[in-house]
């Protein structure tokens, strides 16, 4: 069964909120600053791309990807 657009958007929103919260905690900054940091990442860009289906992964999985990106290890999740 294919996910509806509403469910996909909700999943993206939930994962994004999770990422903002984790960035805020890890970097001891406000949610607003954390959101600005998240918006600049390739991970967030990929999350917004519905064709990537990253929205179907767990928030922890996407957090791990964000950590890989931050550490310069994006080769682990970029598919050629």
């Amino acid at each position: 069964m294919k996910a509806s657009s509403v469910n996909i958007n909700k999943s993206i929103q939930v994962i994004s909120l999770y990422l903002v919260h984790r960035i805020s905690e890890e970097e001891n900054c406000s949610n607003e600053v954390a959101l600005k940091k998240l918006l600049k990442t390739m991970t967030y860009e990929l999350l917004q791309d519905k064709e990537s289906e990253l929205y179907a992964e767990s928030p922890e999985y996407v957090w791990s990807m964000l950590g890989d990106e931050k550490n310069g290890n994006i080769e682990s999740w970029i598919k050629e």
Side-chain angles (χ1 to χ4, degrees):
M1 182 166 82
K2 187 155 174 81
S4 74
S5 182
V6 171
N7 288 342
I8 291 170
N9 290 338
K10 183 68 174 173
S11 180
I12 291 169
Q13 181 183 25
V14 167
I15 293 170
S16 297
L17 287 171
Y18 176 85
L19 297 175
V20 166
H21 178 72
R22 291 289 303 264
I23 293 167
S24 177
E25 280 186 341
E26 185 175 278
E27 300 190 12
N28 197 27
C29 62
S30 69
N31 285 341
E32 183 179 343
V33 170
L35 177 59
K36 288 178 182 178
K37 290 181 180 200
L38 177 62
L39 293 176
K40 296 177 184 176
T41 66
M42 290 174 54
T43 303
Y44 181 75
E45 187 175 323
L46 192 59
L47 179 61
Q48 294 297 310
D49 179 4
K50 293 177 182 165
E51 290 182 17
S52 76
E53 296 186 347
L54 189 56
Y55 61 83
E57 299 293 345
S58 71
E60 293 83 7
Y61 179 87
V62 182
W63 173 249
S64 174
M65 287 181 63
L66 190 60
D68 287 343
E69 179 181 351
K70 182 179 176 183
N71 295 324
N73 188 25
I74 59 175
E75 294 83 20
S76 67
W77 53 265
I78 292 182
K79 296 179 182 176
E80 295 184 26

